[in-house]
């Protein structure tokens, strides 16, 4: 698997470009759990646990990790946590699994990219011992070389599994400035890379961008500002996330 990822990263390197400096490859100090199974098999174990009733049920924590979108930013600097997809996911899962002791914890920093997120991944994600980690950096990682972004996301995936958590990758949400041209290409490049990384690592992908692009109406109705979804836009993300938690039903 690591060889496949390495070949994927090499394929992303544009000819003639200088190599991207490798991020620190330090491994997080993971909890003493067995590595999580991969793909939907991992999430199926979570779903089974969400169905366990008292007195045998245990707390299930999900961490939403990333930038301003999972944080719930609307028109900057206002934050609307109740509208954001982590809160909508928590509410939907509580409705679906009424016996579950469930927390969806938001660990997201506005303006952050995945390279910056590496510095806090251990303390603000893995140290919480989550069962699931949602990884959402697609919008802001357009500022990074694509190979560097892919390397960081792969590191989050492998580190999550080593800690016993199930990773989920998210493609970027919409950006009104990406209707055409270079900005559209950069957004699509992130999504294509994330989808391919999901295939190579057997990691579920919530394809937010595909859902926004398939929206039949005016996408401006889904946006609080040009790069932040409103409640309806976050509900579009939920349509991609929620089915991943229904594997055992």
């Amino acid at each position: 698997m690591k060889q496949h990822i390495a070949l994927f990263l090499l394929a992303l390197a544009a000819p003639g470009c200088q190599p991207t400096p490798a991020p620190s490859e330090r491994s997080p100090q993971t909890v003493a759990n067995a590595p999580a199974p991969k793909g939907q098999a991992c999430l199926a174990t979570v779903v089974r646990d969400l169905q366990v009733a008292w007195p045998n049920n245990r707390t299930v924590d999900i961490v939403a990790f990333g930038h301003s979108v999972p944080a719930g930013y609307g028109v900057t600097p206002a934050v609307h946590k109740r509208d954001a997809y982590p809160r909508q996911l928590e509410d939907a899962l509580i409705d679906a699994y009424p016996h579950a002791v469930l927390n969806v914890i938001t660990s997201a920093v506005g303006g952050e990219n995945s390279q910056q997120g590496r510095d806090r991944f251990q303390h603000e994600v893995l140290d919480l011992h989550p069962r699931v980690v949602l990884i959402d950096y697609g919008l802001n990682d357009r500022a990074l070389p694509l190979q560097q972004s892919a390397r960081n996301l792969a590191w989050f995936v492998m580190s999550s599994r080593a800690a016993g958590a199930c990773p989920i990758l998210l493609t970027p949400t919409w950006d009104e400035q990406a209707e055409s041209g270079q900005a559209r290409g950069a957004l699509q490049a992130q999504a294509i890379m994330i989808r391919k990384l999901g295939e190579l690592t057997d990691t579920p992908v919530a394809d937010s961008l595909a859902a926004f692009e398939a929206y039949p109406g005016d996408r401006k109705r889904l946006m609080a500002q040009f790069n932040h979804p409103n409640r309806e836009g976050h509900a579009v993300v939920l349509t991609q996330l929620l089915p991943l938690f229904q594997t055992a039903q």
Side-chain angles (χ1 to χ4, degrees):
M1 182 62 69
K2 289 184 178 180
Q3 183 180 15
H4 291 162
I5 295 172
L7 291 173
F8 173 54
L9 294 173
L10 286 173
L12 288 174
C17 292
Q18 293 296 319
T20 303
S24 168
E25 296 302 328
R26 68 192 188 283
S27 296
Q29 298 300 310
T30 58
V31 297
N33 289 346
K38 296 179 180 179
Q40 284 297 137
C42 188
L43 290 175
T45 65
V46 175
V47 171
R48 285 196 294 270
D49 288 347
L50 289 171
Q51 295 172 318
V52 175
W54 181 88
N56 297 314
N57 54 347
R58 297 293 181 268
T59 302
V60 174
D61 289 337
I62 299 169
V63 175
F65 178 61
H67 49 40
S68 57
V69 173
Y73 279 87
V75 178
T76 306
V79 177
H80 303 282
K81 181 179 179 180
R82 295 185 183 91
D83 293 341
Y85 71 76
R87 180 64 172 266
Q88 292 193 37
L89 177 64
E90 183 176 54
D91 290 345
L93 290 177
I94 288 171
D95 289 341
Y97 304 107
H99 299 291
V101 181
L102 172 73
N103 301 300
V104 178
I105 303 162
T106 301
S107 179
V109 175
E112 184 177 82
N113 60 44
S114 64
Q115 183 63 37
Q116 296 164 320
R118 287 178 66 124
D119 292 335
R120 64 185 185 87
F121 192 62
Q122 177 66 50
H123 177 64
E124 296 190 22
V125 178
L126 297 186
D127 284 355
L128 302 176
H129 309 318
R131 294 291 305 280
V132 180
V133 179
L134 312 179
I135 304 165
D136 187 354
Y137 277 106
L139 279 180
N140 288 3
D141 269 13
R142 290 176 294 172
L144 298 177
L146 193 62
Q147 187 184 29
Q148 185 176 0
S149 175
R151 185 186 295 115
N152 292 338
L153 298 184
W155 185 82
F156 293 141
V157 165
M158 292 185 289
S159 299
S160 297
R161 285 201 178 119
C166 307
I168 297 175
L169 294 165
L170 286 87
T171 62
T173 48
W174 186 244
D175 184 335
E176 290 180 9
Q177 297 178 335
E179 287 289 351
S180 61
Q182 186 174 356
R184 181 66 172 268
L187 197 66
Q188 291 178 328
Q190 274 288 322
I192 292 168
M193 178 271 289
I194 291 167
R195 293 169 191 142
K196 185 63 176 178
L197 183 62
E199 292 177 11
L200 288 173
T201 60
D202 195 8
T203 302
V205 175
D207 202 340
S208 305
L209 184 60
F212 272 85
E213 290 180 329
Y215 181 72
D218 184 353
R219 281 189 289 265
K220 289 184 178 180
R221 295 175 57 188
L222 304 176
M223 306 301 291
Q225 66 177 33
F226 74 94
N227 62 343
H228 291 157
N230 57 22
R231 183 174 181 82
E232 290 72 25
H234 281 279
V236 169
V237 180
L238 182 66
T239 67
Q240 304 303 298
L241 274 174
L242 192 57
L244 301 178
F245 292 88
Q246 298 172 335
T247 55
Q249 291 185 296

